[in-house]
Amino acid sequence: MTSFSDYQSRSAQYMTFIDSEFYPDYLDEARIIYGSVIEQFSELANMASSSAELLIRIVDTPNPSRTQLLRVFRKYVSPDTSVEMLKVKKKIPKIIADYGHRFRDIEQVKANLANRPKPDEALMAILIEYKSRGQKGYELTEAFFLWFESNFGSEYLIQGPVRAGRDVMLNEVLKDWQTKTPADILISRNDGTPLVIGFARYDSDRGGAQEDDRTGGNRDKVTDILRYAERYQLPLKVFFLNDGPGLTLGSMWNDYAALEKYGKGKVMVCTLKMLDERFTRDWLEI
DNA sequence: GTTCGAGACACTACGGCCCT
DNA sequence: AGGGCCGTAGTGTCTCGAAC
């Protein structure tokens, strides 16, 4: 049986690249999406007699414009208050009370708006940078679900959010599992016997490990799940779907190889392109 | 003296669930 | 039925200590 470690020298061949856009190609799209938002912000600003009033006017605007206007508000008026804070409508009076003194004066804001080029491509580029955050992870899980359905769809059950959505909570699907542990994938036999708990992650360019959901935390998950499998005599295994060029940076590949070794056959780490070779019925039924 | 890795924190998008 | 909030997604960026 080949291991994840064996693939390291050919890692590029087994990597899945999910396309990103090139600069400056996306500026055209950014102008379409944000041009009117920035214009609308200018209009609201020019009508307002204070920055707090501007915020109130923005909050009264229906979505999807509101969130985008709040982002522009943050850039021009109040870098201290995150859009996440401003999203909650009923907290707005308190935010104005607590942070209002740090809002940039409305006259200054109006002047700054007037002095920017039109269209303001710099601001548009900043705004669009976040648009596709998170999407690559969804592409990865969706690709796995499609692959699994076409290969094992009739023989096994698979659960989990295909794109966005609530994770599979282990305490809800495993009898007597105590802690709230989120997982991305659960595969079981048609009779309900759980076979695989899966975690998915796409890394574009992060090399360093993130403690909570990377290898440190992963090892704890493996320990807990395998101990559970032992106690209840279940054929339960742990699967890590990891992909993206970030895997080749730093110690990531070695960390995951070590994790797989630690699992003694009950843990498998794969990129999408390894699935056909490694994710077999034999492994599912170990 | 500079570079690098790891951890910590932060950011926005969006689907789905909950509440009215 | 619709609006609002929550949870999850990947990654940008800062700091600090170790290694070079």
Side-chain angles (χ1 to χ4, degrees):
Chain A
M1 173 85 181
T2 54
S3 69
F4 185 69
S5 163
D6 297 333
Y7 288 86
Q8 185 159 21
S9 58
R10 293 167 290 146
S11 59
Q13 276 174 257
Y14 285 89
M15 201 65 63
T16 308
F17 294 94
I18 297 175
D19 289 340
S20 306
E21 277 198 276
F22 292 86
Y23 180 86
D25 303 8
Y26 52 71
L27 286 180
D28 292 332
E29 188 194 349
R31 188 176 302 127
I32 293 166
I33 301 174
Y34 301 109
S36 63
V37 172
I38 297 170
E39 248 174 67
Q40 195 181 355
F41 182 84
S42 296
E43 287 166 19
L44 290 171
N46 286 326
M47 286 192 295
S49 55
S50 73
S51 291
E53 187 193 326
L54 170 60
L55 177 57
I56 290 166
R57 283 175 189 268
I58 289 173
V59 171
D60 283 336
T61 309
N63 255 328
S65 303
R66 182 176 63 230
T67 309
Q68 299 308 324
L69 289 168
L70 287 174
R71 295 175 69 197
V72 181
F73 179 84
R74 182 169 192 222
K75 297 289 180 211
Y76 269 103
V77 184
S78 175
D80 300 322
T81 53
S82 70
V83 172
E84 212 53 42
M85 279 166 73
L86 300 175
K87 268 182 179 174
V88 186
K89 264 188 168 176
K90 58 177 182 286
K91 289 188 186 159
I92 293 297
K94 182 159 168 53
I95 285 169
I96 291 173
D98 291 350
Y99 299 92
H101 69 283
R102 295 195 33 96
F103 288 179
R104 178 164 267 183
D105 183 78
I106 191 70
E107 293 308 323
Q108 179 72 53
V109 172
K110 289 177 188 175
N112 290 344
L113 278 162
N115 287 331
R116 295 297 305 160
K118 290 201 174 60
D120 188 348
E121 286 193 323
L123 182 54
M124 290 171 178
I126 289 171
L127 293 175
I128 204 170
E129 176 148 347
Y130 295 91
K131 196 174 185 314
S132 62
R133 286 243 175 128
Q135 293 309 301
K136 289 177 177 178
Y138 294 143
E139 301 273 330
L140 180 67
T141 46
E142 184 175 34
F144 179 78
F145 274 82
L146 291 173
W147 178 88
F148 189 86
E149 284 294 347
S150 74
N151 283 271
F152 297 107
S154 56
E155 297 163 80
Y156 297 102
L157 299 172
I158 183 165
Q159 292 174 59
V162 175
R163 293 182 71 91
R166 196 165 173 268
D167 280 8
V168 177
M169 301 304 289
L170 297 189
N171 53 308
E172 293 169 17
V173 295
L174 297 178
K175 189 174 172 300
D176 296 333
W177 185 273
Q178 297 299 330
T179 54
K180 283 189 175 176
T181 313
D184 297 308
I185 300 161
L186 172 68
I187 295 168
S188 37
R189 290 200 189 114
N190 286 323
D191 68 5
T193 310
L195 291 179
V196 174
I197 289 166
F199 303 93
R201 192 151 309 281
Y202 186 85
D203 275 286
S204 286
D205 59 13
R206 178 175 305 282
Q210 290 281 67
E211 169 49 34
D212 55 343
D213 51 6
R214 297 300 204 276
T215 46
N218 286 342
R219 184 175 282 255
D220 293 343
K221 284 183 208 165
V222 166
T223 307
D224 290 347
I225 293 168
L226 295 185
R227 191 191 298 135
Y228 177 93
E230 182 79 17
R231 180 181 307 157
Y232 292 88
Q233 290 295 299
L234 290 167
L236 196 57
K237 293 162 292 294
V238 189
F239 172 57
F240 292 95
L241 177 65
N242 276 75
D243 216 322
L247 264 182
T248 61
L249 297 176
S251 58
M252 292 279 274
W253 201 285
N254 286 333
D255 292 346
Y256 279 110
L259 189 66
E260 195 180 78
K261 200 173 170 208
Y262 174 73
K264 297 192 173 104
K266 300 262 181 183
V267 170
M268 187 158 67
V269 183
C270 278
T271 66
L272 284 174
K273 290 181 179 171
M274 294 175 194
L275 289 174
D276 285 329
E277 294 174 23
R278 311 190 67 209
F279 201 101
T280 59
R281 186 173 295 98
D282 286 348
W283 186 74
L284 277 170
E285 291 294 344
I286 283 173

